[in-house]
Amino acid sequence: MSEPYYITTPIYYVNDKPHIGHCYTTLLADVAARFMRARGRDVFFLTGTDEHAEKVVDAAAQRGLTPIEWADQNAGEFERAFAAQRFTNDDFVRTTQDRHKDKVTGYITRLMEQGDVELGEYAGWWDASQEEYVTESTAREHDYKSPVTGKELEKRTEQNYFFDLPKYAERLREHIEASPGFILPEARKNEVLGRIKAGLQRVPVSRAVKEGDADWGILMPGDEGHRIYVWIDALFNYLSTVDTNERRRYWHAPVHVMAKDILWFHAVIWPCMLMALGEAMPSCIYAHSYWIREGRKMSKSLGNFIDLPTIDAYVDAFGLDAWRWYLVNHGPLAATDSDFGYGRFVEVYNADLANGIGNASSRVSNMIAKYFDGACPKAEATTHAGRDWPALAGAALESATEALDRLDFEALCRAGLSLSNEVDGYIHETEPFKLAKDETKLGDVGTILYNCAEALRIAAVLLSCTLPEKMSELLGRMGQEAPGEDGSFGAQLEELCTWGRLEPGTRITKGDALYPRWDAKNPEPAPETQEAGA
Ligand code: ME8
């Protein structure tokens, strides 16, 4: 059995519908999962929904629904949106499922028995919009408003159960310092270390059951007066979902992807709880930045979210690959936020896809049709016009693999695209269309076109995790195996990227442009009717 690879996204709140931010994180995990499957790894990719938040109860009440009715509707929206974007998650966990709740009760029971979770008193500033307490200094700094949403903070005093976070602080600090790549990007690691050094406090793991409490949330084991705090409940999803006989092998070095808003929970509280339970640590906690729009944070009150109807309009106009490509290549992967803009989208689409790999593949298949009746010619040399093609292909595979190991998705895409750009440069320099006019030069033309076709085949394999639709089509046109729905191939990536697999004589069919050029004067795709409150 090949080595397991486990990647997760946050589980999303079901108080509202999904938007670009949720799709973005899940897309990154999807690209990684597909690539790792192509590499032959035994992949488990998990996403899902976080349902026991108080704001779900409020949102449901506003609509005259029970919390579970509202949660069902929105969890359904997430599942449909993720399927439409062809995400290959192996499971979709909902924290209201018994399989999760029972496991969480078990973990908390263990922590209580060990003395890591105990009853105590807590007074602090509660950010209801984020379902979390903020420290006195953060509250003061933000004028007692939520640092994320700007809503008023609430002073709360509670009897709670607490997790003894300070007990594990030193071990965590040592682990972070000794494990490069544990928190990425690097800038985020320094922020976390700074906060750990400033001192950690106990973490509440419960909230008191109030008068008129909607029956919502997991009860603390042995105490019906408290429910498990939604954040603690939620974090356990990563473990609970694979804590079964068939899936236990996945829990050895999970990769958690999320945005910077929830890094603290993932990089500090979660690893300490895992230490307390004696479980393996994540191998990487990757916190990207935010999508913003026209320089402003996306928010409900501004009504400027890139919501599902807008995403659908883009996908209808440009195709799913184009949507995935733009997000992966121009998203907020690193420490800065990314602005979503139509102009930039068109520029990137035309440059990388229409004029990039799309154009290169049309030129090559057209010339093979014209000069060799559509049968792939034979190459007399693999090093030609100053290019060592097998070495170029090997380097592309190596940089793609290394890029994904550090979750550098842009570099992963560039590795594939660089091969197709090399094909462009090669055609431009060697001018096979001119050589073909002289019958004695047909051998050279064959060499050039074989090298082009073979480089494009390998580029398509490397790009298929980001561009699943059209790269499958391109491989099909070259008589090659397309990846399966989950991104895996019959052979492993290394074998697929070995130079020379394309057999001379293979039929190469022409077809419509893979990515038709887009006229920037066209209006921005928009949903026909904007859904109210979406
Ligand atoms: O925090 N740009 O759920 P959530 C990029 N349930 N990514 C964004 C984004 C934006 N503008 N907005 C949201 C929760 N995201 C908890 C998580 S996990 C154990 C519990 C993405 O619905 C990003 O991944 O508020 C962010 O971390 C997540 O959605 C927050 O989703």
Side-chain angles (χ1 to χ4, degrees):
M1 185 62 97
S2 62
E3 200 188 336
Y5 177 80
Y6 181 24
I7 188 159
T8 70
T9 72
I11 49 171
Y12 305 108
Y13 286 130
V14 284
N15 58 312
D16 219 332
K17 292 179 184 164
H19 58 67
I20 186 173
H22 308 122
C23 295
Y24 175 65
T25 314
T26 317
L27 170 60
L28 296 180
D30 181 63
V31 171
R34 285 171 181 269
F35 190 79
M36 284 305 197
R37 290 189 194 106
R39 259 164 91 176
R41 294 281 291 269
D42 172 17
V43 171
F44 196 79
F45 162 22
L46 179 66
T47 189
T49 43
D50 179 1
E51 309 199 351
H52 290 133
E54 290 178 56
K55 58 188 175 187
V56 174
V57 178
D58 297 342
Q62 280 165 23
R63 291 162 177 90
L65 297 173
T66 62
I68 194 67
E69 284 169 344
W70 185 235
D72 283 346
Q73 272 189 34
N74 280 323
E77 293 278 350
F78 276 93
E79 286 199 81
R80 273 191 297 280
F82 291 176
Q85 286 170 63
R86 296 191 47 184
F87 296 156
T88 57
N89 46 297
D90 295 285
D91 199 348
F92 186 98
V93 64
R94 298 182 56 187
T95 53
T96 46
Q97 291 165 335
D98 287 342
R99 60 164 173 161
H100 170 76
K101 293 196 286 190
D102 295 347
K103 288 275 175 356
V104 174
T105 307
Y107 304 137
I108 296 285
T109 305
R110 254 161 72 195
L111 293 174
M112 289 169 88
E113 284 167 2
Q114 286 170 205
D116 282 313
V117 164
E118 281 178 337
L119 199 59
E121 182 133 304
Y122 185 79
W125 292 103
W126 175 249
D127 181 347
S129 56
Q130 292 296 102
E131 307 262 352
E132 63 173 314
Y133 279 101
V134 301
T135 60
E136 180 62 40
S137 61
T138 309
R140 204 176 327 116
E141 198 184 312
H142 290 88
D143 200 19
Y144 300 95
K145 300 214 167 56
S146 162
V148 181
T149 61
K151 298 222 173 92
E152 286 289 331
L153 297 174
E154 208 183 297
K155 186 88 193 176
R156 273 198 187 181
T157 305
E158 293 187 28
Q159 261 240 320
N160 272 332
Y161 287 87
F162 289 92
F163 171 62
D164 191 356
L165 189 64
K167 178 172 161 190
Y168 295 96
E170 190 47 28
R171 253 175 80 190
L172 176 66
R173 193 187 59 73
E174 281 169 12
H175 184 83
I176 296 175
E177 282 177 346
S179 325
F182 179 64
I183 301 176
L184 288 175
E186 194 69 17
R188 302 266 171 254
K189 165 178 158 179
N190 300 332
E191 279 167 32
V192 170
L193 278 174
R195 275 182 71 183
I196 295 175
K197 284 177 192 153
L200 298 183
Q201 292 180 354
R202 298 173 311 162
V203 182
V205 300
S206 72
R207 60 180 164 85
V209 173
K210 288 179 285 185
E211 277 276 307
D213 177 81
D215 183 16
W216 199 241
I218 309 172
L219 287 173
M220 274 301 283
D223 185 346
E224 304 224 326
H226 285 87
R227 291 191 191 280
I228 297 170
Y229 172 39
V230 64
W231 256 106
I232 302 299
D233 166 358
L235 286 165
F236 278 123
N237 90 89
Y238 303 129
L239 181 59
S240 70
T241 310
V242 296
D243 195 359
T244 63
N245 287 340
E246 314 77 68
R247 293 178 173 175
R248 246 293 163 174
R249 67 182 183 280
Y250 293 113
W251 192 267
H252 78 123
V255 175
H256 299 309
V257 189
M258 76 221 64
K260 58 190 175 185
D261 52 343
I262 56 177
L263 177 62
W264 184 251
F265 288 100
H266 285 83
V268 176
I269 298 171
W270 179 230
C272 288
M273 288 202 302
L274 289 171
M275 282 180 193
L277 288 170
E279 293 287 352
M281 294 291 260
S283 61
C284 176
I285 295 156
Y286 191 101
H288 60 71
S289 302
Y290 295 137
W291 278 103
I292 53 174
R293 198 161 187 199
E294 277 117 29
R296 303 172 81 179
K297 191 174 159 52
M298 286 191 252
S299 79
K300 268 190 100 171
S301 49
L302 290 172
N304 62 350
F305 266 117
I306 306 282
D307 54 12
L308 287 184
T310 309
I311 296 174
D312 287 344
Y314 266 81
V315 171
D316 284 349
F318 288 94
L320 182 63
D321 282 5
W323 173 256
R324 291 172 60 108
W325 184 260
Y326 178 72
L327 258 62
V328 172
N329 280 280
H330 295 276
L333 253 190
T336 44
D337 293 342
S338 290
D339 217 329
F340 186 93
Y342 170 62
R344 185 87 186 105
F345 191 105
V346 173
E347 226 173 86
V348 167
Y349 170 80
N350 280 339
D352 293 345
L353 302 184
N355 300 333
I357 188 148
N359 185 50
S361 59
S362 307
R363 289 179 88 185
V364 171
S365 59
N366 285 339
M367 286 191 276
I368 291 177
K370 194 159 166 195
Y371 310 132
F372 299 96
D373 285 332
C376 180
K378 190 163 108 282
E380 280 157 6
T382 53
T383 297
H384 188 234
R387 289 169 180 82
D388 178 347
W389 284 103
L392 287 172
L397 171 65
E398 198 178 312
S399 31
T401 309
E402 281 174 3
L404 195 72
D405 286 340
R406 46 176 207 279
L407 296 184
D408 185 344
F409 292 91
E410 289 168 18
L412 170 70
C413 292
R414 294 292 130 193
L417 199 66
S418 68
L419 267 184
S420 102
N421 290 343
E422 201 62 49
V423 166
D424 258 344
Y426 184 46
I427 296 176
H428 182 76
E429 260 172 54
T430 55
E431 300 185 315
F433 40 89
K434 285 196 184 151
L435 297 179
K437 291 182 184 142
D438 177 351
E439 281 223 350
T440 65
K441 301 268 170 67
L442 269 187
D444 281 346
V445 177
T447 295
I448 296 166
L449 292 180
Y450 179 88
N451 290 338
C452 289
E454 179 61 342
L456 287 173
R457 180 189 68 79
I458 293 171
V461 167
L462 290 175
L463 291 169
S464 63
C465 53
T466 316
L467 305 171
E469 292 200 329
K470 300 296 175 170
M471 292 304 101
S472 295
E473 204 171 317
L474 178 55
L475 287 167
R477 288 180 191 184
M478 300 174 91
Q480 306 297 307
E481 179 207 1
E485 262 304 302
D486 70 352
S488 63
F489 290 85
Q492 292 199 6
L493 203 57
E494 217 159 289
E495 215 181 311
L496 289 169
C497 293
T498 304
W499 191 264
R501 275 176 76 95
L502 179 61
E503 293 282 339
T506 306
R507 301 241 37 103
I508 309 278
T509 46
K510 293 199 296 178
D512 297 339
L514 290 173
Y515 302 109
R517 279 194 193 86
W518 182 271
D519 186 344
K521 291 201 277 312
N522 289 337
E524 178 176 3
E528 278 175 18
T529 47
Q530 192 74 38
E531 266 182 69

